[in-house]
Amino acid sequence: MRGFNHLPLILLFLLLFALLPFLPLGVWRAFLLDVGFFVLLFTALALSWDLVARTGQLSLAHGAFFGLGAYGAGLLAPQVGTLPALLLGALVAGAGALTLGSVTLRLHGLYFAIASLAFSEVLRTLALKLPFTGGPIGLPVPPPFAGTWPLAAYYLSFGVLLLATALSLWAEASPFRLAQAATRQSETVARVLGVRVVWVKLWSLLLGSWVAGLAGGVYGMKTLFLSPYDAFSLGRAVEALVIPIFGGLYTTLGPLVGGAVLVSLEQALRLWIKEGYLVVYGAILILVILFLPRGLVGILGRRRG
């Protein structure tokens, strides 16, 4: 049961964030809950990217899945309500993944990365041109849940992270992990061993896109406004892949630790060093990647070894 090696740490992480709104946070309460919201949401996005990366695919389409979920939920919320709109937004993201996967999953490595980047750019252009998305002006999203929304938004993002964590743990502890690992290491050998490589990659992409779509939907309802430049941005896709690399690839704990550290660090640096905070952020990121190739979670492995 490899996926449960870090289960106590994972449960502690989830418990801390579940209890965060009840802690005595004083005058920092609103700021810390805001940071917590983004930690939970972008960590879920990172876990969804890691699910795809376990097959060896470098996806740059997670910004597109995030945007599809955000726009799907934002457009449907006034008609069907908040929760159904979030689920339907995730299905829209899944439809995008099926479209991308049916055309490109026989590609791998850099070829798939370029194709997934082109897919994101096509969707961003469509969002800029189509009239019902608001075009370059953007799309206002009505505030759901009225006065309870700030806390409800926090727990919605916590729910998305719970789902992402459960999927990641299942993928780590089930035979699906072996199929993903075989596909990542050699597609030819995996096929000889009887692994249905395209199906493994397609299911990984679908699971990842659903989580990314849910995260996008919750993001839109938090910001109350969607812009094609933000929702479909390449920066979103880069953020999704940097967090698992920073925390530790192909694990559940790695993206959790990476998300908590990196997103909190970015928010704190943005507050304390308004000009040039990205320079410090980038330098820390480069140092960790250079000296901890297995991410922060690799330190745990060294201590056990």
Side-chain angles (χ1 to χ4, degrees):
M1 302 293 280
R2 180 181 180 275
F4 294 103
N5 286 346
H6 299 134
L7 191 57
L9 290 174
I10 292 169
L11 291 178
L12 178 63
F13 178 96
L14 295 174
L15 182 64
L16 283 175
F17 276 92
L19 296 178
L20 182 65
F22 301 101
L23 298 179
L25 304 175
V27 295
W28 291 90
R29 177 181 173 79
F31 173 74
L32 291 176
L33 286 185
D34 218 37
V35 172
F37 171 86
F38 287 111
V39 167
L40 295 170
L41 205 66
F42 292 133
T43 301
L45 184 65
L47 278 167
S48 76
W49 182 87
D50 193 71
L51 272 172
V52 181
R54 292 174 194 180
T55 63
Q57 298 290 66
L58 179 64
S59 170
L60 293 175
H62 268 60
F65 302 145
F66 187 90
L68 282 172
Y71 269 90
L75 287 166
L76 291 169
Q79 281 78 39
V80 300
T82 300
L83 294 179
L86 288 174
L87 296 176
L88 290 171
L91 290 179
V92 172
L98 271 179
T99 305
L100 174 67
S102 60
V103 178
T104 64
L105 275 184
R106 293 189 186 280
L107 303 176
H108 52 83
L110 283 177
Y111 297 102
F112 178 77
I114 292 168
S116 61
L117 178 60
F119 176 73
S120 296
E121 287 302 303
V122 167
L123 287 181
R124 188 163 66 91
T125 305
L126 286 175
L128 281 166
K129 300 293 181 186
L130 292 174
F132 59 84
T133 61
I137 298 171
L139 178 76
V141 179
F145 299 142
T148 63
W149 177 237
L151 198 56
Y154 181 88
Y155 279 110
L156 267 183
S157 62
F158 184 73
V160 177
L161 180 66
L162 274 184
L163 173 66
T165 305
L167 284 174
S168 180
L169 282 173
W170 167 78
E172 257 197 277
S174 70
F176 192 62
R177 173 181 68 86
L178 300 176
Q180 285 184 312
T183 303
R184 181 174 72 247
Q185 289 165 12
S186 170
E187 290 189 16
T188 304
V189 174
R191 286 194 181 93
V192 171
L193 292 173
V195 175
R196 299 175 69 185
V197 169
V198 172
W199 280 103
V200 170
K201 291 199 288 189
L202 186 59
W203 270 110
S204 301
L205 192 65
L206 263 180
L207 293 175
S209 70
W210 285 333
V211 174
L214 274 176
V218 174
Y219 176 83
M221 291 179 183
K222 166 77 173 174
T223 59
L224 303 180
F225 182 79
L226 292 171
S227 152
Y229 299 107
D230 182 29
F232 290 99
S233 75
L234 176 61
R236 199 72 63 206
V238 171
E239 197 161 21
L241 70 88
V242 162
I243 289 173
I245 292 171
F246 186 84
L249 282 168
Y250 316 139
T251 65
T252 302
L253 184 62
L256 291 176
V257 173
V261 174
L262 265 187
V263 179
S264 303
L265 182 68
E266 182 186 1
Q267 297 292 327
L269 288 174
R270 192 194 294 265
L271 182 68
W272 293 325
I273 313 173
K274 288 187 172 57
E275 300 294 331
Y277 75 93
L278 281 175
V279 175
V280 181
Y281 179 83
I284 293 171
L285 192 60
I286 290 169
L287 286 174
V288 171
I289 291 173
L290 281 176
F291 293 103
L292 295 172
R294 294 175 59 196
L296 295 180
V297 170
I299 298 171
L300 293 177
R302 285 184 193 173
R303 287 184 177 175
R304 287 184 179 179

